[in-house]
């Protein structure tokens, strides 16, 4: 717990300084704690420190973790940040409050159908492959507005914004270019009436979240910088 407290303080400080450089208040950026690969015990520690929003990459792992946690007060808000297969959409809409990885019309339709059947409205982000990396998921930038338009016609999806993952290569400037591209897309989407003016930008992870904040991120997804390596976290939880 002491180590997590120290890391959280450091990240909050870095977040605040990046926001100040961008001329924004620190509270304009949401810190999403990525618990992929970490046990439920780590989530409990994070909850005790005031963290309330958690990101998971896989439906099956999240399902087991959320079940193990059981009812907690205040209840955490769960985000799916990894690729979502259509056959997992039914379970995803019952587990998650926000889905960051809407990347095709077929997936949008399936998520909307499943959410409506559950009587839920899901906050959804269209994932955009701003780096052009063929190994990444996400709609190409030139297809993002059309996909936003499609998702916006679904009553069971509340469009919350756009998401991207920084490039694997290219260093800080490559990351900056990728995030800047997503910010430009948001401007275009707002001008086209596809997103609200305060729509979110989910971008930036442990290695580049400060750059993302400088380029307009409203949600940063931080895992290893907060929780350390997954193996070490498991050993600490077990001990």
């Amino acid at each position: 717990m002491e180590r997590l407290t120290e890391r959280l303080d450091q990240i909050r400080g870095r977040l605040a300084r990046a926001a100040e450089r961008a001329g924004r208040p620190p509270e304009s950026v949401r810190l999403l704690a990525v618990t992929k690969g970490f046990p439920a015990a780590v989530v409990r520690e994070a909850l005790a420190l005031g963290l309330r929003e958690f990101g998971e990459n896989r439906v099956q792992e999240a399902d087991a973790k959320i079940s193990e946690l059981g009812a907690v007060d205040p209840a955490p808000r769960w985000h799916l940040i990894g690729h979502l297969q259509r056959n997992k959409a039914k379970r995803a809409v019952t587990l998650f409050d926000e889905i960051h990885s809407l990347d095709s019309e077929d997936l949008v339709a399936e998520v909307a159908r499943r959410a409506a059947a559950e009587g839920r409205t899901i906050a959804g982000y269209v994932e955009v492959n701003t780096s052009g990396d063929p190994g990444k998921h996400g709609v190409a930038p030139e297809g993002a507005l059309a996909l936003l338009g499609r998702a916006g016609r679904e009553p069971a999806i509340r469009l919350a914004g756009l998401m991207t993952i920084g490039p694997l290569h290219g260093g800080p400037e490559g990351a900056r270019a990728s995030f800047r591209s997503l910010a430009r897309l948001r401007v275009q989407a707002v001008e086209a009436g596809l997103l609200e003016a305060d729509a979110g930008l989910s971008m930036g992870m442990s290695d580049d979240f400060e750059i993302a904040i400088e380029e307009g991120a409203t949600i940063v997804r931080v895992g290893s910088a907060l929780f350390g390596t997954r193996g070490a976290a498991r050993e600490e939880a077990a001990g």
Side-chain angles (χ1 to χ4, degrees):
M1 179 71 83
E2 183 178 347
R3 189 175 301 178
L4 179 55
T5 301
E6 181 180 345
R7 287 173 178 155
L8 179 57
D9 287 344
Q10 290 173 350
I11 288 168
R12 283 175 169 160
R14 291 167 61 189
L15 185 156
R17 290 189 291 274
E20 289 165 5
R21 289 194 296 271
R24 302 163 56 199
E27 57 268 23
S28 68
V29 184
R30 294 158 66 189
L31 175 59
L32 180 58
V34 178
T35 48
K36 171 190 72 173
F38 295 98
V42 170
V43 180
R44 290 193 185 95
E45 289 186 2
L47 284 166
L49 294 177
L51 289 167
R52 295 291 177 263
E53 299 193 83
F54 298 91
E56 288 284 331
N57 275 52
R58 298 179 179 86
V59 174
Q60 186 172 357
E61 180 184 343
D63 198 351
K65 194 173 301 180
I66 292 169
S67 296
E68 183 179 344
L69 279 170
V72 291
D73 185 27
R77 187 169 182 85
W78 292 98
H79 299 242
L80 178 65
I81 60 174
H83 178 64
L84 176 60
Q85 297 174 327
R86 287 173 60 199
N87 64 356
K88 301 289 180 62
K90 180 178 180 180
R91 189 59 181 146
V93 301
T94 66
L95 292 170
F96 296 100
D97 302 288
E98 307 193 21
I99 294 177
H100 292 231
S101 47
L102 300 177
D103 61 1
S104 71
E105 291 196 3
D106 286 346
L107 180 60
V108 164
E110 187 66 9
V111 167
R113 182 173 75 87
R114 295 296 189 178
E118 295 291 331
R120 299 198 71 197
T121 300
I122 297 293
Y125 299 75
V126 165
E127 181 179 0
V128 185
N129 186 346
T130 54
S131 67
D133 186 340
K136 284 192 171 72
H137 295 286
V139 64
E142 56 269 23
L145 295 185
L147 188 54
L148 282 168
R150 174 67 182 84
R153 295 194 294 272
E154 295 289 354
I157 294 177
R158 177 180 65 80
L159 274 177
L162 298 166
M163 184 271 253
T164 198
I165 298 172
L168 293 173
H169 308 288
E173 289 313 307
R176 190 176 299 280
S178 177
F179 301 147
R180 193 168 289 171
S181 174
L182 196 72
R184 285 196 299 266
L185 270 174
R186 180 177 64 175
V187 171
Q188 295 171 18
V190 170
E191 291 175 346
L194 300 171
L195 285 175
E196 298 294 330
D198 61 352
L201 289 177
S202 171
M203 57 189 193
M205 298 189 291
S206 287
D207 292 337
D208 53 22
F209 73 87
E210 291 156 298
I211 295 172
I213 292 170
E214 292 169 357
E215 296 302 328
T218 63
I219 300 177
V220 292
R221 311 179 301 268
V222 180
S224 59
L226 180 58
F227 298 116
T229 61
R230 296 184 183 94
R234 286 197 180 94
E235 289 172 9
E236 288 174 10

